[in-house]
Each structure stands twice: as C-alpha cells, then as structure tokens.
Amino acid sequence: MKTGINRGKLMLASFLTLVACGMAMVTRGSMGLIWEREFNIGSQDFGSLLGAAFFGFGLVIFFGGLVTEKLGYKPVLIIAILLHLTSTVMLYFARPLYLSLAANPAEATSQTVTLLWYSFFLFSLGHGLYEAVINPLIGQLYSENQTHYLNILHASWPAGMIIGGLISWGFIGENAAISQIAMWEIPLASYVLVVLWYGVLVVRSDFPPTVASKSSNFARLFSCFASPIFILLLLLHGGIGYVEIGIDSWITKLMNNFLDYPVVFLIYTSALMFILRFFAGPIAHKINPIGLLFVSAVLASIGLFWLGTDLGSLTMILLAATVYSLGKAFFWPTMLSVAGDRYPQCGAVAMGALGAMGMLTAGYIANPAIGYKQAVNTSAKLSTESPQTFARYVESKPQKFLFLPEYQGLIPMLANAANTSKIDGETIDPVVFNNLKIELEKNQSAQNQELEAKIDTCVANLKEDVPKVQAATRYGSLRSITLTAYVPAAMAVGYLILLIYFVSIGGYKKIDLS
C-alpha cells in the first residue's frame, strides 16, 4: 500500500459522509406535516421533494464514477462537500420566499416547492459524488473482504438516520419531545457539523490511485455492461432503492396516524440495520452474498405485508418492523460487494451504475409513487364512505403521476388540520383549524378567503369529519405499504434466478484480477 495512506482514517472520513446524508434524509423527511401547514405542500409535492433528494444522486453517481476514475478520490469529495454546504444555505430562503408571495398562495406554494426541490437536488448531487468515491475506495482499501467492510461502511447510513431521528423526535414539530425549535432550518442544517468534521479529514489525508489511473485500457471499465448478469443486478438494485430508500423516506409521515412519535419507528429500524451490518461478512461467508440477498428479499416482503395491516399496538408494529429490518439491512452494501467481487476490472463504474439505478428509482419512481398510492387510496376511501366529508376537503384540481390515472386529492392544509386534531371522546378541539385560519387572515387574497370559508365549514362539521379523515388517511398509508411489499417479493424471484445460475457454473466466486 502506498506510503502515507491511512486506511483507518479514510474509512472514518467515508463513514462520516453517509452519517451526514442519513441525518439530512430523516430531518427533511420529518418536515411533511410542518410544510403542509406552513407552505400548503401536499403528499405528491412532498414526494417529489423526497425524490429530488435522490434523483440527482442517481444522475451523478454513474458519471461521478467516471470523473472519480480520472480526477481521483480527493477532488471529487471536496466538490461534494461544497454542494452540501450550498444546499443548506438555500433552506434559509424558503420561508422568506413564501411570505413574499403570500398574497397569491398557489404561486407561493409553487415557488417554495421549486426552491426546496433545488436545495434537495444539490444535496443529492453531493450524496452521489460521495458514493462514487467511497464505495470503490473502501473496496480497494479492504479488497480482502469487501462484503464485510462495505457493510460496515454502510452502517453509517442508519447511524446518521438514528441521529437525525433523535433530532427530529426532540426538536421538530409541535409534538417535539424536548422543545420545538421554531426555526426548523436549524435542525435541518445540523448535519453540517459532520460535514465540517470529515471535510478536515479529507483535506488532510492522502488517497490511493484509482483503478483507471493504473490501467491504459479505459474501455475496460465498461465491460460489466456486456454481462446479462450485471443487467439483472441493475434491475434488482432499482428494487432495493424503491424498498429501502423509498420506505425510509416516507415512513415518518405514513406512521403519523399510528404512533405518537412516528420517528421512533425509523430510529428503531435504523438501529437494527446499524447493528446487523457489522455481521454481514460472517453471514455472507456461510451462505454467499446472493443467498444472503435472497433471504433478505423474502424477509423484507413479509415485513412490509405485515406492516400493511392495522396492527393496533406499538409492540406489534415494532415486531413487524423487526422482520422488515432483518430484510433490508444487507441489501445495498452486499449488492455493491457483488459488483466488486464479480467486476473488479470496472472500478467505480460498476458500483456507480448500481448506485445510480437504486437512487434514480428511489427519486423518480419510489418517492412520488408512494405519495401517489397514499393520496389515491385516502381519497378513494373517504369519497366512498363519506362523500359529504370528501366534498368539504377535496382539491378542485386533479393530480396525476406518470401514466397512472388522475385523482382528486385532499387539500393539504385541511387534511393536515384534521389529522393533527385531538379527539377526546366525542369532543374535538378546533384549535388547529382556528390557528390555520388566523395564519390565512394575515395575507388576504381571493384564494385565502375561499380557504377560510372552507375552514368554517370544516369546523362546523368537526365531529363528523375528523374521525373519517383520520381513518381514510390511515387506510391510505397502510395500502401504500402493502403495495410496496410486492417489490421485494419480485426481487426474491430475481435472486433465486441468480442462485440457480451460480450453482450451474460451480458456485459463487470472487474474481481476482491478479
């Protein structure tokens, strides 16, 4: 190994990059209810924001792999750090922008969504560049046992989610366990402290040369795309992005009507994932990485189907979450280790292609699709069981996602007010609706006056409407989880095909270029 390279120090810096990304994902994912109320951002728009947080990742990680091979590891990490700092600064402009356009609520919401989208997008570009560097870097530094060390590296993602979850639990939202921080930008920017930590490590460290810098055959980096098995791995990693990243992004909002502190669910599943990833190496050694992925897909599917039922108690929810966590824990890093084992000549390109597929699926399909499924099923349930309530809460403008049928969703502000209203026996406190009306009255416009009239109608029908809106929202959330469970079920079939293939050629083997 090159003199001056400290692989422990480089592992720490790489580990911290994903800690920061996990923190940011959870804290931003916890903003759904706040932004519904403050900016009138509905489920599908919120899903598009969550999608932007991964969409840029998918675009950049593949090309980032090529850039990394040519520029080297260190310069690309520095670019990523600068992107994350820029993304953070943009968050502080969202509230002033919305208030400056408050006389036109629709335009205010649209412009604020656009600003937040670009903030999330820049963040995802930085995240993509991190993974374009750290996966091949750690695979190269610890080539003797890639599955084990890549899983340890990616234990940093749930570690960041745990820290972000604790910040969300303690300081974000009106039900914050410690004290709500009125300027939500502060907890959302907390990950910057970690960015500065690994920024210092990166600047002061020496890095090894990349695969391409040691080879005169640049085209060899793309040889993996001639393999049908690699194409199947790409499709399967898209499923991993849908299941792991999509559900993790949405779960706080989906569990809001089932748990007093829904972020506890994410903290619990992240803690399990963090612990389990330290044991991936020995498990993979026993049953090989493809066998581990097959078992993981089966468990993830069972866990999601179980979570999609109305379990009723925290204990049962956490039991189902345990099965789901046992499934999803090893997906992402083990797939990267398969790429490193079977396509070592491709360097950062093979791992980057898998990461791109996973994140593009999470960003462009999974996050908006989960929001679509939740909104469609909520509206369908409410319109079927209580047309009068639905008429009071429904948006006039239809929504759609890709080629799927249009639907009429609920007005985000009103649905949020109903879902956060407290039911005490037969008494329902109108305080949430009244506070919403006070906020609207600060900026009078034709649209705001129309919303105020709707609020008066909703308050007059609180006893009838609120329980039905909450029940419909619970149904929509459960249906979105159940429908997602079919994805890992399909993935299990794909891994079974791979198992059969490797048995037919004499078993799974790591390819050694030497």
Side-chain angles (χ1 to χ4, degrees):
M1 189 173 291
K2 182 179 175 181
T3 304
I5 294 174
N6 184 332
R7 69 178 188 174
K9 189 175 179 181
L10 293 180
M11 169 62 99
L12 175 59
S14 301
F15 190 94
L16 291 173
T17 63
L18 295 187
V19 170
C21 293
M23 289 174 63
M25 191 201 79
V26 176
T27 52
R28 294 183 184 205
S30 299
M31 295 303 298
L33 295 176
I34 293 174
W35 287 344
E36 269 184 352
R37 182 165 57 251
E38 189 166 340
F39 301 140
N40 200 31
I41 294 176
S43 290
Q44 193 162 331
D45 278 337
F46 186 65
S48 73
L49 292 179
L50 296 178
F54 302 104
F55 181 61
F57 179 113
L59 288 177
V60 79
I61 189 173
F62 176 70
F63 297 104
L66 299 177
V67 172
T68 298
E69 290 292 344
K70 280 304 183 184
L71 294 183
Y73 297 123
K74 187 172 184 174
V76 177
L77 282 175
I78 292 173
I79 294 170
I81 289 167
L82 294 175
L83 286 169
H84 272 189
L85 294 176
T86 303
S87 168
T88 305
V89 171
M90 292 176 70
L91 291 173
Y92 285 85
F93 289 91
R95 200 192 308 248
L97 175 64
Y98 185 85
L99 293 175
S100 70
L101 299 170
N104 186 343
E107 181 68 13
T109 297
S110 175
Q111 293 293 332
T112 304
V113 168
T114 300
L115 174 66
L116 291 171
W117 193 94
Y118 279 108
S119 172
F120 282 36
F121 181 70
L122 287 183
F123 182 89
S124 70
L125 293 180
H127 187 179
L129 290 177
Y130 287 145
E131 294 228 25
V133 170
I134 63 175
N135 292 320
L137 172 63
I138 298 306
Q140 182 178 338
L141 292 173
Y142 297 91
S143 58
E144 72 276 10
N145 194 350
Q146 290 193 68
T147 298
H148 180 60
Y149 284 100
L150 281 169
N151 269 278
I152 289 176
L153 170 65
H154 283 265
S156 57
W157 175 258
M161 291 167 65
I162 293 168
I163 297 169
L166 291 172
I167 291 170
S168 299
W169 174 72
F171 304 107
I172 294 179
E174 58 190 22
N175 293 323
I178 299 174
S179 177
Q180 180 182 8
I181 296 177
M183 283 192 66
W184 45 259
E185 296 90 344
I186 294 174
L188 261 61
S190 58
Y191 75 96
V192 168
L193 297 174
V194 184
V195 174
L196 296 175
W197 182 5
Y198 61 72
V200 172
L201 290 174
V202 167
V203 169
R204 292 182 175 178
S205 297
D206 294 322
F207 287 76
T210 63
V211 171
S213 66
K214 296 182 289 184
S215 172
S216 59
N217 188 356
F218 190 68
R220 193 182 186 197
L221 292 170
F222 299 90
S223 61
C224 54
F225 293 99
S227 167
I229 294 302
F230 186 74
I231 302 304
L232 179 55
L233 289 175
L234 282 175
L235 294 174
L236 290 169
H237 209 77
I240 289 172
Y242 196 113
V243 174
E244 180 179 336
I245 307 298
I247 287 293
D248 282 351
S249 300
W250 267 98
I251 199 64
T252 300
K253 195 167 189 295
L254 293 178
M255 299 303 292
N256 186 66
N257 281 42
F258 300 92
L259 300 172
D260 291 335
Y261 297 104
V263 76
V264 169
F265 181 99
L266 190 59
I267 294 172
Y268 175 73
T269 57
S270 299
L272 286 176
M273 193 193 306
F274 175 77
I275 295 167
L276 289 168
R277 282 185 172 174
F278 284 90
F279 298 96
I283 297 173
H285 181 72
K286 294 283 186 183
I287 63 174
N288 83 47
I290 304 299
L292 174 59
L293 289 165
F294 170 72
V295 173
S296 295
V298 171
L299 289 174
S301 183
I302 293 171
L304 286 175
F305 275 119
W306 194 3
L307 282 169
T309 59
D310 196 348
L311 296 172
S313 70
L314 176 61
T315 301
M316 294 302 294
I317 289 172
L318 293 182
L319 282 174
T322 301
V323 176
Y324 166 60
S325 299
L326 289 170
K328 74 167 182 172
F330 304 119
F331 273 146
W332 195 280
T334 303
M335 283 286 283
L336 295 178
S337 74
V338 171
D341 284 347
R342 300 294 300 179
Y343 306 95
Q345 77 280 8
C346 298
V349 172
M351 291 185 180
L354 289 182
M357 189 67 173
M359 286 298 189
L360 280 173
T361 303
Y364 189 66
I365 299 176
N367 277 298
I370 292 172
Y372 172 87
K373 288 181 287 188
Q374 198 269 352
V376 165
N377 284 285
T378 297
S379 291
K381 182 76 168 177
L382 191 60
S383 63
T384 300
E385 298 196 350
S386 182
Q388 298 87 355
T389 300
F390 180 72
R392 286 188 279 272
Y393 282 79
V394 68
E395 285 188 304
S396 57
K397 184 180 178 181
Q399 305 284 328
K400 71 172 300 178
F401 171 64
L402 296 179
F403 54 85
L404 298 174
E406 288 187 345
Y407 70 97
Q408 285 187 288
L410 306 185
I411 297 171
M413 283 184 173
L414 298 183
N416 174 275
N419 280 309
T420 54
S421 292
K422 303 295 183 184
I423 302 176
D424 184 10
E426 295 189 0
T427 303
I428 300 173
D429 192 342
V431 64
V432 180
F433 285 91
N434 292 337
N435 289 340
L436 177 58
K437 186 175 179 180
I438 291 169
E439 289 298 316
L440 292 172
E441 287 173 346
K442 292 178 182 178
N443 295 284
Q444 284 297 309
S445 66
Q447 289 172 309
N448 277 358
Q449 289 173 358
E450 183 180 344
L451 268 174
E452 288 173 34
K454 283 182 173 290
I455 290 172
D456 290 335
T457 304
C458 291
V459 170
N461 293 276
L462 277 184
K463 187 175 179 180
E464 178 185 353
D465 291 349
V466 167
K468 292 178 180 178
V469 173
Q470 292 186 3
T473 302
R474 284 194 295 271
Y475 173 81
S477 298
L478 293 174
R479 282 294 296 162
S480 67
I481 295 172
T482 298
L483 293 171
T484 301
Y486 288 98
V487 177
M491 289 164 56
V493 176
Y495 289 125
L496 184 59
I497 293 171
L498 287 176
L499 278 173
I500 294 170
Y501 165 75
F502 282 113
V503 168
S504 72
I505 63 170
Y508 179 90
K509 296 181 180 67
K510 176 182 176 181
I511 295 175
D512 189 340
L513 289 180
S514 63

